[in-house]
Amino acid sequence: DAGASRYLGLNSTAAVPLDAPGFDARAHVESLTRAHPLERLLTEHAGMAHDVRELDGQLKMMIVEKYSEFIAAADAVRTMRTNLDVAAGDMQRMRDIMDN
């Protein structure tokens, strides 16, 4: 993952991506704790936690936007159906008039 690769100097081409099926979280954490001081790990953790909160907020905004678009589309379909029902009634009245 390109975003996660910036943490702790990870190189996305050399390391297994964090979301890969074969990713071993325990081995990864053990490797990081041996290679980096606690202060650096805590700093990186804080940065990652911040990024997660930011991404979560962006996701929530996208959901709200898409939900609003969905509601608008549903309203448009409802209006079209109402208009078509009215038009169908008008067409039936015209047929009735023409049949008489």
Side-chain angles (χ1 to χ4, degrees):
D1 179 66
S5 67
R6 73 175 186 223
Y7 293 104
L8 300 173
L10 295 177
N11 182 339
S12 62
T13 59
V16 176
L18 299 178
D19 60 351
F23 179 73
D24 184 349
R26 182 178 303 272
H28 180 71
V29 170
E30 287 175 6
S31 169
L32 292 176
T33 56
R34 282 192 301 271
H36 301 285
L38 179 60
E39 185 176 315
R40 170 87 188 270
L41 295 173
L42 291 173
T43 299
E44 295 299 331
H45 174 268
M48 289 176 78
H50 175 268
D51 288 352
V52 166
R53 284 190 300 274
E54 188 174 297
L55 289 171
D56 186 53
Q58 290 173 4
L59 178 62
K60 287 177 183 176
M61 287 299 295
M62 285 177 25
I63 290 169
V64 168
E65 290 170 5
K66 295 300 176 189
Y67 182 74
S68 297
E69 291 173 10
F70 172 75
I71 295 299
D75 288 345
V77 168
R78 189 176 307 113
T79 298
M80 289 171 57
R81 172 159 282 148
T82 299
N83 291 342
L84 285 173
D85 289 345
V86 170
D90 291 345
M91 293 298 289
Q92 185 60 46
R93 281 191 289 283
M94 287 176 62
R95 278 192 206 120
D96 293 345
I97 290 170
M98 292 180 78
D99 287 343
N100 290 332

